[in-house]
Every structure is written in structure tokens, then in C-alpha cells.
Amino acid sequence: MENAAQRSNQSICVMIGDVSQDFSAELMKGIFDASQREGIQLLYLMGMPRHAGSLGQSGKGKRVYHHNSIYDYANLFGADAYIFSCGSLSGFDNENTFQTFLKRFAERPYVILQESIDTSIPGRSCITIENYNSFCQCIEHLIVVHGYQKIAFLAGIADHPDTKERLRAYRDTMEKFGLPVSESMIEYGDFSEYSDDQAMQLIDHNPGLEAIACCNDEMAKGCYRVCAKRGLKVGIDIAITGFDNFSTSRSLMPPLTTISQSTYHMGEMAVMQAISLLEGKHVAPVKLETKFHLRRSCGCYPDTARKLFYHVDTHSYADIDDVMMNLSVDLINAYSSSDHESSQLLVQEFVKHVHDLLGAAGVSSVGKYSLADWLQAFAEKYGSATYLLAKRLNDYMIQIPEQILQNPLMRNLYDIISFSQGFLFSYKASMVEKRLDDFRAQSWFIPELIRDLVEGDLEDGGVFQEVVKRLHAIQLRNIYICLLPEPRPLRNFDSQDVPCGVLLAAYHTDTIVRAFPWSQMPLISTSDTLKSLPDLRCTTHLMSFSIFSGDMQYGILMCEADVSKCSLLHVVGLQLGILTNFLDLKRKENIITNELDHIREKNEILSFLSEYDPLCNILNRRGFIERAIRLNRDNLGKPAICVFLDLDHLKEINDTFGHAAGDTALIAVSNILKNTVRSDDLVARIGGDEFVGIFVSDSPDHGNSFKSRLLEAFDQFNSTSGYPFFVEASIGITSFICDHKLEIGSVVNNADHFLYEEKKHKRSSASRHQVS
């Protein structure tokens, strides 16, 4: 506890890839348990699931990079040490690419898993497993014990160190016994269970194939599926072997002959080595032992269950107490070391209840209703862990000696085992159905996650706040969404150009839900690392996923570690990429729209300046002509008048009273004209002292009445203006009919002609002094 308290501020960044396999689940559990015990915070960088790249070769490199670009953010985590799970990482083209990648972390201590490195450099360590001898033993067993000569090898990723070692063991053993190995006898997969195509290639290209040695248990699943489709019985028509000994190997039917490795212990050891490196200690490389396990998939029928009912020394039937003890030990050994504590409790509770039932019932039959009630509570308590128990109980039923069943107590034991395994298998089926329902709900959740947000009109902050709320609704905790200040295009995987910072868009913890508009998102850089995220406790372990869309990276999604939701979260990252891309486009659209509005406003101002007279605030010649043409076109066949005004004595006013007085006179004419016409009538200043108007009217006497009103308005103005000059104008009016052949210039000229007739009768001077 004291060590844990001292390390409360230390963190380890774990780089891991495919977590859909049992290997990664076991490894992460070992890392998690050790870090909890030692008080170390974990930050997982979740790379690409291997089978995501196996669905088609087109664009595979981009998919690999986009998922694995999460590793580019490692420097932002501010971790004290790193663990690289080479067994699950993918996307590195070759060893040189991987070594270039490791140079990013030269300043920090790190532990490499499943690949040997030079540990003489301070701050470096590695943990590998013993691949060669155990795989030789497996191939030799197939040759010597079963007499198989045509044995194929389903390999993993070609450049992977485990593949190289196991392939070497296969070739060496086949050569040792003089058995040929052709190129068609080796196919390369990607360590995932999606190896059906490779298994079919091996069977199709090797007639009479007797066995397939798989590089791991996951790929053996694909072989089992292919054999079932081809009507081949595993263990009878063809032998299948694996490597790992996870729950997969024990739950397959028939159980898989395989090689075990202590992956859970590797995870624990990796954390302890990282801690030692942080303390400045030299850590020697470790190679973990492996063990060969015989099961029925290779053609063997190991007497593993039958012997539990005999005394070890006398080979006579054991009494019920010894049998129950043997069953307890066997059931505990059936579980992996990572589940040792929980499996012990499960097995002890089950065995004790069975033992109690036998003691209470004696030779009488056991009540199945009460047993069913107990099994229901038991299954709900331990969940999916009861499936492996049911599988092993099934083995007991098959292998229990028939003679022993003549004993009433043993017969009762058999009945309890039979009923229990049937009940637990039924419970497993109901769990599978529930998971299917959950999957359906999740499959709906994915498209629904962003649909409403895209269709809504929320600001950036509101969008991401809604996202973290929705993610929290599917039982995710401590959720953080961080975005790049600028989206990053696709780069080569070995590029050293990594992000220097991200913006915190939103987060949802147990106590706080908060989001930020784009302009206020806090910047998190290498100097202010992701470990300092708001409301993040040092006991919280985070997983992180890449947010991307198309060829662009947008940021990372982080949440509290939950391996069961990894596949979903990879897809959520893609959905968030689509959403962020949409918001980015929308943001740019708003910028462009604002610019267009600004340009439109400028254009309106320019248009006004080009069409309006700035002094009199009415149309100029250009504006008048354009609108007069439109007025004529819109009123074809209607009568109209054209009025032409000329300010009298403008030169005299300018010369005598100044140009400001002249401007005043012009403005006065404009105002008198505007106040005399209707609001929709067309008036303009088309020259220095010339004004014109066009009006549509049904009245035949409209021209005369308008002229009278205009003259009256001038008189009214002059009587009250107080100016030392008169403001008067000569007026010419002409009538016309709107017609598509009409020329506006001709109409204006006609009005101008009448105006000059009027000028002959104008006042001799504008000055009131001259007049008086």
C-alpha cells in the first residue's frame, strides 16, 4: 500500500492493437490487476483490430493507419513509461518501420512484449515466450503418435516474431522426420479468427491433408468452421492444433490440442518491469515457459476426466469425498490464471453445494426444482464464467466409468452433473440471445448517434455535449473528446510529424458534464498533458481511439477502460469523425456565408453609389434608365407621362451665393419632386441641374394636374424658405403609351423640348434682392 501511495502520480501508456482476441484480453487483465495493486494509472492507445483490414485489400493501408494513428498522440499523454504489445500491434510494414516508430520514445523507459530487443540500453526491457521447443513438441506429437505425414501450417503475420519462431519449429521438425514441406502447405493469416480463406486454401491445395498446425487458437476457430462446411470431423478426419490455451481452446468442440502461455503473467510482469525501469534499475529480459496440452482435436482421447473417479495409488474407485476433491482441483485448473481468484470461488461454491446435496439426499434422488433455483442464482452471480464449467461437466458425463454408476451416490452425482450442465448450457444460450439483442441495440445506436445532431442546429459545444451524454447512456464512464486544432491529412505510418496539442471539446465524468464552443476549447499540449484532464482521477484507467473520416484525422475519443466495448468504440470513433467533418464543413460554410454577406453588402453599397445621386439621394442617369426600361416593360399598353425639370439660374446662385447654396437649391428641387409624386413613382437627377420622372397613370389630365401641384409646391417652398434666392424650375411634360418598341431616350427628349419652351418665360434672376 505504501508503494501504491508513492506511485499515485505515475502512469504507464500501453500501446495495444487487436483486443478482439483472447490474448489481448488476458494481457490487459494482467496489466490492469498489477497497475491497480501498484497504484499506477493506465492509458491505453487502442490500435486497429486486425480483421478490420482483412475484409478487402482496397484501402487497407489507409484503414490501418487511421486506426493506428492513435499512437501519434502518445507524447500528449505525458506517460512515465510505455508498454508495447507487439503481439497485437499491426500496421508496421517491416522491422525498420517499427524501429523508427520506437525512436519517438527514446527519452522514456519502455517494455517490449513478444519481441527481443537490446536491453543493455538503460530504460529498456523485453518479455518473450518460449515458442520453438513447445511447437516442435506439438508437430512431433502429430508425426510420432498419430503417424501424420501431411501436416500444413497456418501461420500468423509473416514478419511477426512469434510467426517466425513457430514457422522455424514447424520446418525443422518436418525436416527432422524427412517430411517434405511445399509452399502450398503454408498459408499466412493475421492471428485473428477470420482465417477461413487460408484454411480453405490449405485443404484445397493439399489433397489428403491430415493435420493443420495453427499459429494460435484464434485461427483454429476458422479451421473448425471450414471443416464443418466441408463435412470433415476435427480429431477424426483431420487434426487441428493451436497455440495459447485460452478459453477458446477449452470451449471448442472437440477441445483443442494447444500450447499454453502465461499471458496474464506477462501483463503483470510488464507493469513490474516498467516500475523497476522508472526506479532506475536494470531489468533483464525474460522468456516465459510454455506447455503442450493434449486434447481431442489432434485425435487423442486423453483420460483427463476418467481418472478423477479413481484412487491414484490403487486404481480402485474413489469414495465420494475424494471424487469431489478431484473434481474441485480439475475445475479450478480448467480456468486461466487471470481468473484464478474468481474461478476458485465459483468452483468451491459449486462443488460444496453438490457435496451438500449428496449428503442431504443420500441414496434418494435430488430435487431438481430446488437445484434449478440454486443454479439460476449461481449463473446470474458468475455470468459467462459458468460456460466453461458446463463444458467440463459435459466431459465428466462422457468419461465417467459406467461401473461406478452402480453406486447410488455416484448415480446421484451423475444426475446432478447432467442436470447442471444442461441448465448452464441453457443459461449460456440465453446470454448469447441477450448479447444479440445488445448488439442489435448497438447497431441502431451507431447511426442514431450523429443523425439527429447533423440534422439539428446546435453549436459545436452543444453537439459534443449531446455526444458524451449519449455515450454515457450506453454505460461508458469518464468520457473525453479531444479534437485537433486543424484536421490532419493521412501521413505515412513512420512519419515523425505528430500532433503537438489537442482541444478539449467535451467531457462527461461521474460529477461533471461540460462542453466548449470551438473558440473556447482548452488547449492540451505536451506541457499540459492529457493526464491533467479535468476531473480525471489518478485511479481511472482510460482507453483512447482515433477519430477520423476519409483521409483526415480529427482527434481522439477517450473513456474508462472497458474491453467489451472496444469494437463498438472503434466504430464510434469513425462516426465522430463524420460528425466532426460535418461540423468543420459547416463552420467553413458559415465563414464563407459571412464573407458572401459582406461582399453582398459591399456590392449593394457599390450598386447604390453607381445608381444613386449622392447629393439628392435619388436615382442618377444610369439608375433611371434601367428602372424606366423595367417600368415600361411591366406596364405595356398603359398611359404614362414623362416630366423633365431644369433648375433655373443655378449658375447665378453658385456665383452669387456660393456652391453650397447651389447644392441647397438642387436638394430642394429633389425634395419638392419626391414629395409631389407617389412612393412608387420613378424620379432621378440626370444632369447638373436636370431632373426627370416617369409616372404611370390612367387619368388623361394627369400631366396638367401634376404640373399644377409641382408649381404650387415651389411657391410654397419659396414663401417659407428664408433663402436670399428663389428655387424654381422649368417644367416639360409629355404623355406616352408603354410599348415594347418604346425608346426611353425619345420620351425624355420630347419632355425636354417642352421644357425649353417653358424657359422662355422664366424669371430674369433668382436673387430676391434683384427682384425687389
Side-chain angles (χ1 to χ4, degrees):
M1 293 297 293
E2 184 178 348
N3 288 339
Q6 291 174 348
R7 300 185 185 116
S8 61
N9 292 323
Q10 290 184 326
S11 64
I12 296 175
C13 182
V14 182
M15 299 204 185
I16 198 162
D18 193 353
V19 294
S20 64
Q21 301 176 14
D22 290 336
F23 171 84
S24 297
E26 285 273 300
L27 181 68
M28 289 178 70
K29 192 168 192 314
I31 293 173
F32 182 87
D33 289 349
S35 64
Q36 286 283 90
R37 187 170 59 247
E38 299 298 324
I40 297 287
Q41 185 181 33
L42 292 178
L43 301 161
Y44 289 101
L45 299 184
M46 315 301 290
M48 187 192 78
R50 285 212 177 90
H51 57 270
S54 64
L55 302 178
Q57 293 302 313
S58 177
K60 178 178 177 180
K62 291 184 179 180
R63 287 195 299 274
V64 170
Y65 174 77
H66 277 314
H67 284 288
N68 287 351
S69 65
I70 191 66
Y71 306 141
D72 291 346
Y73 299 88
N75 62 321
L76 292 175
F77 279 89
D80 300 294
Y82 294 88
I83 295 174
F84 298 91
S85 172
C86 296
S88 65
L89 295 179
S90 57
F92 297 101
D93 298 332
N94 50 55
E95 184 63 22
N96 289 335
T97 305
F98 182 64
Q99 292 302 325
T100 302
F101 174 71
L102 286 181
K103 289 179 181 178
R104 299 184 190 177
F105 313 98
E107 303 301 319
R108 298 284 185 180
Y110 59 73
V111 181
I112 300 288
L113 305 182
Q114 294 178 283
E115 184 164 333
S116 296
I117 62 169
D118 181 7
T119 58
S120 64
I121 303 173
R124 305 287 180 267
S125 182
C126 66
I127 303 173
T128 58
I129 61 169
E130 202 293 299
N131 282 289
Y132 183 80
N133 292 327
S134 55
F135 210 79
C136 285
Q137 184 183 358
C138 175
I139 304 300
E140 188 165 332
H141 173 81
L142 295 175
I143 296 170
V144 174
V145 175
H146 296 285
Y148 300 143
Q149 295 188 7
K150 203 158 190 179
I151 304 169
F153 180 55
L154 180 50
I157 298 171
D159 290 331
H160 197 282
D162 287 349
T163 299
K164 292 177 181 178
E165 281 287 286
R166 294 168 197 176
L167 178 58
R168 185 167 66 88
Y170 164 74
R171 287 187 180 277
D172 289 352
T173 308
M174 293 290 282
E175 183 180 0
K176 174 182 174 181
F177 289 93
L179 299 176
V181 175
S182 64
E183 291 302 316
S184 66
M185 295 171 69
I186 301 172
E187 286 288 336
Y188 291 91
D190 61 359
F191 288 113
S192 78
E193 69 168 283
Y194 302 96
S195 57
D196 304 49
D197 290 343
Q198 290 82 5
M200 285 190 287
Q201 292 289 330
L202 291 175
I203 294 173
D204 291 342
H205 295 163
N206 297 281
L209 186 65
E210 297 170 295
I212 301 176
C214 299
C215 207
N216 71 349
D217 293 352
E218 289 287 330
M219 291 193 290
K221 291 181 187 178
C223 290
Y224 270 57
R225 282 196 297 268
V226 170
C227 289
K229 291 177 183 176
R230 299 294 180 90
L232 299 173
K233 295 180 179 179
V234 175
I236 298 175
D237 301 322
I238 189 169
I240 305 292
T241 67
F243 196 114
D244 280 336
N245 195 39
F246 297 128
S247 58
T248 293
S249 59
R250 296 186 289 275
S251 61
L252 287 171
M253 188 58 70
L256 181 67
T257 294
T258 189
I259 298 161
S260 65
Q261 58 171 316
S262 184
T263 308
Y264 176 83
H265 183 48
M266 179 186 288
E268 285 187 310
M269 186 177 291
V271 173
M272 300 313 296
Q273 284 197 353
I275 292 172
S276 295
L277 292 174
L278 285 172
E279 294 172 350
K281 299 176 182 177
H282 173 74
V283 179
V286 175
K287 177 169 281 192
L288 299 175
E289 294 297 319
T290 54
K291 182 180 179 181
F292 182 50
H293 296 270
L294 281 174
R295 298 193 181 103
R296 297 206 303 273
S297 71
C298 67
C300 287
Y301 287 86
D303 193 14
T304 55
R306 191 178 183 85
K307 66 182 180 181
L308 302 176
F309 299 91
Y310 291 91
H311 286 295
V312 177
D313 298 329
T314 63
H315 298 290
S316 59
Y317 294 129
D319 58 33
I320 191 67
D321 291 334
D322 289 338
V323 168
M324 296 307 297
M325 185 180 297
N326 292 340
L327 294 182
S328 179
V329 173
D330 180 72
L331 287 171
I332 290 173
N333 290 334
Y335 287 87
S336 64
S337 57
S338 64
D339 299 320
H340 182 71
E341 185 175 342
S342 59
S343 63
Q344 269 195 324
L345 295 174
L346 178 151
V347 170
Q348 288 171 1
E349 187 172 336
F350 178 78
V351 172
K352 182 180 183 303
H353 187 74
V354 173
H355 198 272
D356 291 346
L357 286 177
L358 291 172
V363 296
S364 303
S365 60
V366 175
K368 292 184 178 177
Y369 286 109
S370 60
L371 177 56
D373 290 341
W374 184 88
L375 286 170
Q376 179 68 35
F378 174 76
E380 289 175 354
K381 179 179 180 180
Y382 291 102
S384 59
T386 59
Y387 180 59
L388 194 55
L389 173 65
K391 296 284 291 184
R392 194 59 180 151
L393 294 179
N394 188 65
D395 289 338
Y396 297 162
M397 290 177 57
I398 295 172
Q399 297 186 47
I400 192 170
E402 293 185 8
Q403 296 87 343
I404 203 174
L405 296 180
Q406 296 174 8
N407 182 319
L409 270 179
M410 292 297 180
R411 184 70 204 188
N412 272 350
L413 175 61
Y414 178 86
D415 289 343
I416 292 172
I417 289 173
S418 174
F419 184 84
S420 297
Q421 66 91 24
F423 187 95
L424 294 176
F425 275 138
S426 175
Y427 179 78
K428 170 68 174 179
S430 67
M431 287 184 66
V432 170
E433 184 175 0
K434 182 180 182 303
R435 281 202 298 269
L436 182 60
D437 290 339
D438 291 342
F439 173 78
R440 291 193 188 103
Q442 289 180 359
S443 66
W444 279 107
F445 168 79
I446 294 300
E448 294 294 325
L449 173 65
I450 67 169
R451 189 194 65 180
D452 297 337
L453 302 179
V454 168
E455 293 177 352
D457 190 25
L458 298 173
E459 295 296 327
D460 289 353
V463 168
F464 289 113
Q465 180 163 311
E466 186 64 27
V467 168
V468 294
K469 285 181 178 179
R470 294 187 182 193
L471 293 176
H472 186 263
I474 59 169
Q475 285 74 55
L476 293 180
R477 299 179 60 199
N478 294 306
I479 307 157
Y480 296 86
I481 296 176
C482 294
L483 303 177
L484 291 164
E486 289 292 336
R488 291 167 57 85
L490 181 67
R491 288 177 170 83
N492 294 331
F493 191 70
D494 57 356
S495 171
Q496 298 299 308
D497 181 18
V498 296
C500 338
V502 288
L503 302 173
L504 178 59
Y507 64 98
H508 193 313
T509 64
D510 293 337
T511 57
I512 299 175
V513 182
R514 189 173 180 188
F516 305 90
W518 180 261
S519 60
Q520 299 175 23
M521 291 180 184
L523 176 66
I524 298 172
S525 63
T526 51
S527 59
D528 182 22
T529 64
L530 290 169
K531 285 201 299 182
S532 60
L533 287 168
D535 206 34
L536 177 63
R537 296 185 296 272
C538 62
T539 55
T540 301
H541 306 301
L542 292 180
M543 296 190 304
S544 54
F545 302 84
S546 181
I547 297 176
F548 67 91
S549 176
D551 288 339
M552 302 300 291
Q553 296 289 331
Y554 290 97
I556 51 175
L557 164 69
M558 292 173 287
C559 62
E560 193 164 350
D562 186 348
V563 179
S564 66
K565 287 187 168 63
C566 280
S567 297
L568 172 67
L569 289 169
H570 277 297
V571 182
V572 169
L574 176 59
Q575 290 287 305
L576 287 178
I578 296 171
L579 174 62
T580 310
N581 180 43
F582 170 79
L583 293 175
D584 186 50
L585 292 175
K586 189 174 180 181
R587 194 180 306 114
K588 291 176 180 176
E589 180 187 19
N590 289 337
I591 292 172
I592 293 172
T593 301
N594 291 336
E595 287 295 325
L596 289 175
D597 289 342
H598 182 67
I599 292 171
R600 191 177 297 112
E601 291 173 1
K602 293 290 187 183
N603 285 337
E604 288 177 0
I605 293 172
L606 292 173
S607 177
F608 179 84
L609 293 175
S610 66
E611 295 183 356
Y612 278 79
D613 181 82
L615 177 65
C616 298
N617 198 26
I618 57 175
L619 292 171
N620 59 17
R621 179 182 292 274
R622 174 185 169 186
F624 169 75
I625 294 297
E626 290 179 356
R627 284 162 177 75
I629 292 172
R630 193 181 309 153
L631 182 144
N632 175 65
R633 185 181 64 238
D634 295 340
N635 295 277
L636 295 177
K638 293 181 180 180
I641 63 171
C642 177
V643 179
F644 201 107
L645 280 76
D646 188 292
L647 175 61
D648 293 338
H649 305 297
L650 175 60
K651 185 177 184 307
E652 180 188 353
I653 295 172
N654 285 332
D655 293 344
T656 307
F657 303 103
H659 285 277
D663 290 344
T664 300
L666 290 169
I667 294 171
V669 174
S670 172
N671 291 335
I672 290 170
L673 185 57
K674 286 190 292 185
N675 292 332
T676 309
V677 302
R678 296 165 298 190
S679 59
D680 57 346
D681 285 336
L682 185 60
V683 294
R685 179 189 176 197
I686 62 172
D689 55 1
E690 296 175 334
F691 296 83
V692 67
I694 288 184
F695 322 121
V696 176
S697 176
D698 294 331
S699 172
D701 194 41
H702 183 66
N704 292 329
S705 63
F706 177 76
K707 182 176 181 179
S708 298
R709 292 201 309 274
L710 199 57
L711 292 173
E712 182 179 347
F714 275 107
D715 289 341
Q716 178 67 28
F717 176 83
N718 286 319
S719 66
T720 60
S721 71
Y723 296 148
F725 52 84
F726 293 104
V727 175
E728 295 176 328
S730 301
I731 303 170
I733 298 178
T734 185
S735 300
F736 65 95
I737 302 296
C738 295
D739 185 89
H740 66 278
K741 295 182 180 180
L742 183 71
E743 292 183 3
I744 299 299
S746 298
V747 173
V748 173
N749 288 337
N750 288 338
D752 189 28
H753 172 73
F754 290 112
L755 177 144
Y756 276 97
E757 290 297 321
E758 281 265 334
K759 277 194 176 291
K760 297 176 182 178
H761 309 289
K762 68 180 181 179
R763 193 188 300 271
S764 61
S765 173
S767 172
R768 291 181 186 269
H769 175 71
Q770 292 288 342
V771 172
S772 60

